[in-house]
Amino acid sequence: MSEAVLDIQSLRKTVHKGKNIVEDVSFKMHKGEILGLLGPNGAGKTTTIRMIVGLIKRSSGSVSINGTDMDEDSQTCKRQIGAIVENPAFYDYMSGWKNLQQHARMAIDPVSDERMQDIIKLVQLEDAIHDKVKKYSLGMKQRLGVAQALLHQPSILILDEPTNGLDPKGIRELRDYLRELADQGISTLVSSHLLSEMQLMCDRVVIMEKGRLIDETVIGELDQSDEQKVCIVAFQCRVDQIQEAKALIEADSEIELLHIEKEQTLVLKLHEATIPDVNKKFVEAGIDIYAIERKKTTLEEKFLSLTNTRNMTDIKEVQS
Amino acid sequence: MITLIQNEWIKLWSKKRTWIFALFILLITIGIAFFFKSVIFDMDAANDENWEQDLEEEIAVQEEIMADEDADEWQVENAQMTIQQNEEMLASGINPNKTNNMIFLEETFPFLASFITLFSVIVASSIVSSEIDDGTMKHLLIRPYPRWKFITAKLITTVGFSLSLIVVLLVSNLLIGTILLGTGSLSTEIMVNNFETTPYLSTVGEVLPARVGLYVLNVLMFIIISFSVSILFRSQTLAVGIGIFILFGTNIAQSFNVLLADTSWYQYIFLPHLSLPEYAIRDEILPGVGLAFSIMVLSVYALVFLGACFTYFQRKDFAE
Ligand SMILES: Nc1ncnc2c1ncn2[C@@H]1O[C@H](COP(=O)(O)OP(=O)(O)OP(=O)(O)O)[C@@H](O)[C@H]1O
Ligand SMILES: [Mg+2]
């Protein structure tokens, strides 16, 4: 493993009445890595990010960027960071272009107009860039936020819920772009409460709940051991064949039938590698399958069991 | 630092409000000029050779009032003042109906400048707090500059705004004054009446530059107070409110001056000192309180306000 570009050691934030809203959070991010910070609402993701970028003081703990301690030389550290914290906000009485210019001027290394054009093209705001930000939609603002964070060519990107307000196409583009940046050696810390998204976007995920880190998962490792990977898949058949299908599954000890939805969908827990076999089995038995849908993945299950929250069930939707 | 000031300047003038303020100063100056020409100064009377006679007639009328046993005390005082003034004018040959651009500027500056104070208070109160409210401040604070530089740039920009409005006022006033009322020179003689000593003769050149210079210091103090209050109390509204209160308060303070002049503490309050332009026509605003003392008191307040607000801003947690 290469040297950590971002090294967070035992971060803690104590608010009034001695309550710790972030406690003992430590993690490292490596060069070219996309690291997910996952947690339900109120877990302390934004608070952690605010402490990293210096918007709020750390009650204790340290942050170092490329080996430089934030307390010793915050200017050097901040030069290397590009960030969106919570919703990106802009001067809505100015155009997108003028907003970016404000940031371009603040960059220590000069930002050329060409660079601005490139970035704008990348986030696909060419058509609207000279309109007042007032007229932008949420997704357009999010794109402008990404452009702004990238403008000064930081080596570390910190994005707090960047997919908020983006349409599936926008999310995919962001994902592809972050991957491209990662290949160029730029590391990204991205927070989200949507696991499915994290899984597609990140190399590794750290999971937070109630201010603490509760787990760390390398997504790539999971993908490599596909044989072992257990997942939950829904097979939809006809109502009149459901009993037949059920009997077929119950005969197989490898597969666990979790429940039946709407009298026509079998929700199964099985090894990922066996999905085609199960399908074949249905077909051979003359059972017509209308849809196969992957429900939760193991990481999702893990996340759910760890964080134990109900409001995470919206996860399955965004599988763009 | 220069880039930060440049950014602030661009943001300020990208707002419609700023242009409305400048336009207002321009229009009200022109409006006042027409008002002066048609109502205050009777242009026919200016060409009237009998102005000396008119003054004498007025003296006669006032003498009757003084002789009247039923007259109130204030009427007598008023009459006395008018007589003195008229006699002085007769002695030095000043036609009160004659006017020119210099007299116009001298006489209207305090009134017109009070609008600049008002607008400066509004800008100073909102330049930091509006960015905090809109959420754009966090995008500034994560850039590699120490926090104090951002608010210093904002403070300097506000001062620049006030100075620009003063220039607009002076230039437009001189132009419209010249067009409507004719050219005068700095040596134009005027009567100075400060309601304390007997009216005395002076020239525009002696009074006006002092008035403008002192006004600049005065408005600087207003800016510092509103700016600091808006940051310390995190409230734009409160800061504007306090600024306007002080603006009117200084006029009210002048009536307290007589009442409280003898108390030992009153001269250490900043309120009475905030009518610095008064020093253009008198040496003391309170018994024993001269310009040097006023400036000293105001400087101490300015340092305390700025010290408190910079320290606070430097340490503040930005978690909005
Ligand atoms: N200044 C503060 N004082 C007290 N409590 C706070 C403060 N700021 C945040 N909190 C609390 O800390 C917790 C973590 O908040 P944070 O914004 O970091 O969560 P998050 O993980 O970003 O959640 P979300 O997914 O909703 O954005 C919340 O319960 C919040 O109420
Ligand atoms: Mg958050």
Side-chain angles (χ1 to χ4, degrees), chain A residues 13 50 53-57 74-76 78-79 81-94 98-99 101-103 105-108 132 134 148 152, chain B residues 2-4 6-16 130-131 134-147 150 154 314-320:
Chain A
K13 180 66 187 177
R50 283 200 185 109
V53 296
L55 281 176
I56 61 178
K57 282 185 303 297
S74 66
Q75 310 309 338
T76 305
K78 284 181 173 179
R79 278 177 71 158
I81 301 179
I84 302 182
V85 182
E86 252 171 355
N87 331 313
F90 301 95
Y91 306 109
D92 56 10
Y93 48 87
M94 300 200 296
K98 291 206 164 137
N99 268 280
Q101 270 186 330
Q102 288 270 324
H103 275 259
R105 265 183 232 109
M106 278 193 281
I108 306 295
K132 293 237 164 83
K134 221 184 297 197
Q148 180 175 295
H152 58 286
Chain B
I2 300 292
T3 33
L4 295 187
Q6 191 192 353
N7 268 356
E8 291 305 328
W9 191 250
I10 290 170
K11 281 188 269 181
L12 181 66
W13 290 96
S14 298
K15 289 185 189 172
K16 274 206 197 84
S130 71
E131 283 219 33
D134 296 345
T136 47
M137 187 58 100
K138 62 183 181 225
H139 290 304
L140 299 183
L141 299 184
I142 60 175
R143 304 305 311 137
Y145 296 88
R147 287 185 180 183
F150 289 108
K154 283 178 181 295
Q314 198 72 17
R315 296 170 176 216
K316 182 176 160 51
D317 271 357
F318 283 86
E320 283 86 20

Side-chain angles (χ1 to χ4, degrees), chain B residues 56-95:
Chain B
E56 272 160 10
E57 272 169 23
E58 200 178 7
I59 291 178
V61 173
Q62 300 296 335
E63 272 171 347
E64 263 172 46
I65 292 174
M66 285 179 72
D68 187 348
E69 306 223 323
D70 295 336
D72 288 333
E73 201 178 328
W74 65 268
Q75 281 177 311
V76 175
E77 266 177 34
N78 206 15
Q80 228 162 5
M81 198 81 93
T82 313
I83 292 168
Q84 264 172 348
Q85 204 169 319
N86 286 2
E87 276 171 354
E88 188 88 35
M89 282 195 280
L90 282 173
S92 45
I94 299 178
N95 180 349

Side-chain angles (χ1 to χ4, degrees), chain A residues 8-48:
Chain A
I8 310 282
Q9 287 300 326
S10 22
L11 278 195
R12 180 169 57 84
K13 180 66 187 177
T14 308
V15 288
H16 51 87
K17 292 180 195 149
K19 187 175 173 247
N20 290 338
I21 55 173
V22 166
E23 197 171 359
D24 198 26
V25 168
S26 311
F27 58 84
K28 286 183 177 158
M29 180 162 71
H30 303 283
K31 191 170 162 64
E33 183 182 38
I34 304 178
L35 177 63
L37 183 58
L38 180 64
N41 295 132
K45 305 181 293 292
T46 302
T47 307
T48 304

Side-chain angles (χ1 to χ4, degrees), chain B:
Chain B
M1 193 69 195
I2 300 292
T3 33
L4 295 187
I5 296 173
Q6 191 192 353
N7 268 356
E8 291 305 328
W9 191 250
I10 290 170
K11 281 188 269 181
L12 181 66
W13 290 96
S14 298
K15 289 185 189 172
K16 274 206 197 84
R17 189 184 72 181
T18 315
W19 290 97
I20 292 172
F21 288 164
L23 203 64
F24 182 88
I25 294 295
L26 188 69
L27 293 181
I28 191 133
T29 306
I30 295 172
I32 288 286
F34 278 100
F35 180 71
F36 249 67
K37 187 182 160 73
S38 56
V39 181
I40 310 271
F41 288 107
D42 186 348
M43 295 307 269
D44 292 337
N47 300 323
D48 188 351
E49 293 301 315
N50 297 331
W51 61 272
E52 289 180 315
Q53 207 179 321
D54 292 344
L55 285 179
E56 272 160 10
E57 272 169 23
E58 200 178 7
I59 291 178
V61 173
Q62 300 296 335
E63 272 171 347
E64 263 172 46
I65 292 174
M66 285 179 72
D68 187 348
E69 306 223 323
D70 295 336
D72 288 333
E73 201 178 328
W74 65 268
Q75 281 177 311
V76 175
E77 266 177 34
N78 206 15
Q80 228 162 5
M81 198 81 93
T82 313
I83 292 168
Q84 264 172 348
Q85 204 169 319
N86 286 2
E87 276 171 354
E88 188 88 35
M89 282 195 280
L90 282 173
S92 45
I94 299 178
N95 180 349
N97 295 323
K98 263 215 158 61
T99 187
N100 59 42
N101 57 356
M102 283 299 157
I103 292 179
F104 175 62
L105 180 56
E106 202 319 282
E107 297 215 338
T108 55
F109 183 81
F111 170 72
L112 293 171
S114 63
F115 289 102
I116 299 184
T117 313
L118 177 66
F119 298 155
S120 303
V121 163
I122 294 173
V123 169
S125 306
S126 61
I127 196 161
V128 173
S129 43
S130 71
E131 283 219 33
I132 297 178
D133 294 348
D134 296 345
T136 47
M137 187 58 100
K138 62 183 181 225
H139 290 304
L140 299 183
L141 299 184
I142 60 175
R143 304 305 311 137
Y145 296 88
R147 287 185 180 183
W148 63 263
K149 281 197 180 171
F150 289 108
I151 49 172
T152 307
K154 283 178 181 295
L155 189 58
I156 291 173
T157 302
T158 311
V159 175
F161 164 76
S162 303
L163 292 178
S164 322
L165 287 199
I166 293 172
V167 170
V168 169
L169 168 52
L170 292 178
V171 171
S172 61
N173 194 304
L174 277 176
L175 276 179
I176 191 75
T178 311
I179 294 167
L180 291 183
L181 306 167
T183 354
S185 74
L186 283 175
S187 53
T188 304
E189 289 179 318
I190 46 168
M191 285 298 303
V192 173
N193 189 346
N194 60 17
F195 303 106
E196 265 175 15
T197 54
T198 49
Y200 65 93
L201 197 64
S202 183
T203 63
V204 173
E206 263 170 54
V207 177
L208 188 65
R211 219 192 255 293
V212 176
L214 288 164
Y215 173 75
V216 171
L217 290 182
N218 213 53
V219 80
L220 181 66
M221 198 58 203
F222 272 94
I223 290 172
I224 289 173
I225 293 172
S226 322
F227 184 81
S228 307
V229 168
S230 78
I231 292 175
L232 288 171
F233 295 93
R234 297 181 228 176
S235 166
Q236 206 167 318
T237 343
L238 185 69
V240 174
I242 288 182
I244 292 174
F245 174 78
I246 296 172
L247 185 55
F248 291 112
T250 46
N251 295 328
I252 301 166
Q254 289 181 11
S255 41
F256 282 119
N257 284 358
V258 187
L259 285 174
L260 299 170
D262 295 337
T263 58
S264 56
W265 49 267
Y266 187 63
Q267 54 180 315
Y268 299 107
I269 306 284
F270 64 80
L271 210 54
H273 303 288
L274 272 178
S275 29
L276 282 181
E278 284 287 300
Y279 284 114
I281 50 169
R282 59 168 89 171
D283 295 332
E284 294 182 345
I285 50 167
L286 293 171
V289 174
L291 179 61
F293 183 78
S294 282
I295 288 185
M296 214 175 65
V297 170
L298 290 180
S299 307
V300 170
Y301 274 98
L303 286 178
V304 170
F305 270 114
L306 287 179
C309 112
F310 272 74
T311 314
Y312 175 77
F313 192 82
Q314 198 72 17
R315 296 170 176 216
K316 182 176 160 51
D317 271 357
F318 283 86
E320 283 86 20

Side-chain angles (χ1 to χ4, degrees), chain A residues 32-36 179 182 198-199 201-205 217-221:
Chain A
E33 183 182 38
I34 304 178
L35 177 63
R179 184 54 61 198
M198 297 270 93
Q199 246 179 328
M201 198 181 272
C202 306
D203 301 313
R204 191 161 58 97
V205 175
T217 311
V218 177
I219 289 179
E221 277 174 13

